[in-house]
Amino acid sequence: MDPGRIAKICSLSSVQLDRYARTQDKDIYQNWVSNGQIIGCVQVGSLKQMQELEEKAKQKRIIVAPVSDETDDDNLAVLGLGPAYFKDLDSLLGKSYPVLS
């Protein structure tokens, strides 16, 4: 996937995260705005891997926004995570995934 397409999908995921947090979990959103929490995007290698990471994030109560590449819905995808504290994202991702924030 070329860098432009990654940037486009990460941006879309970030917008979705912001909208969800602002409308569905106002406490998390307000805390994020007040304290400078981050939104990270993680590129994964497969839809299955994205779904596993999404499930783990939900268990940790981290907001998620999965976005597939419109040219290949069954392969590479981006999973937006947050708003969340960096320590929470780091404990979820460890060294396994590159955080694109």
Side-chain angles (χ1 to χ4, degrees):
M1 187 181 315
D2 67 66
R5 183 168 286 154
I6 292 171
K8 175 185 170 187
I9 296 171
C10 287
S11 297
L12 176 58
S13 183
S14 292
V15 168
Q16 290 176 351
L17 291 167
D18 178 79
R19 285 183 183 162
Y20 180 85
R22 191 171 354 125
T23 61
Q24 302 298 317
D25 202 330
K26 293 179 183 178
D27 290 339
I28 286 178
Y29 184 77
Q30 193 58 41
N31 192 19
W32 173 65
V33 170
S34 298
N35 296 309
Q37 292 183 13
I38 66 167
I39 291 177
C41 290
V42 177
Q43 182 181 359
V44 297
S46 69
L47 185 58
K48 181 181 178 194
Q49 190 179 18
M50 181 183 74
Q51 290 168 333
E52 290 170 356
L53 186 57
E54 180 180 9
E55 205 47 51
K56 289 177 186 176
K58 286 179 179 179
Q59 290 172 1
K60 292 180 176 275
R61 303 193 70 225
I62 295 174
I63 298 170
V64 298
V67 180
S68 296
D69 180 6
E70 73 257 3
T71 63
D72 190 355
D73 287 338
D74 294 326
N75 196 5
L76 295 176
V78 169
L79 179 64
L81 302 164
Y85 291 107
F86 181 80
K87 66 178 179 67
D88 294 334
L89 291 176
D90 194 45
S91 73
L92 173 67
L93 303 172
K95 304 249 186 264
S96 301
Y97 302 96
V99 178
L100 311 170
S101 60

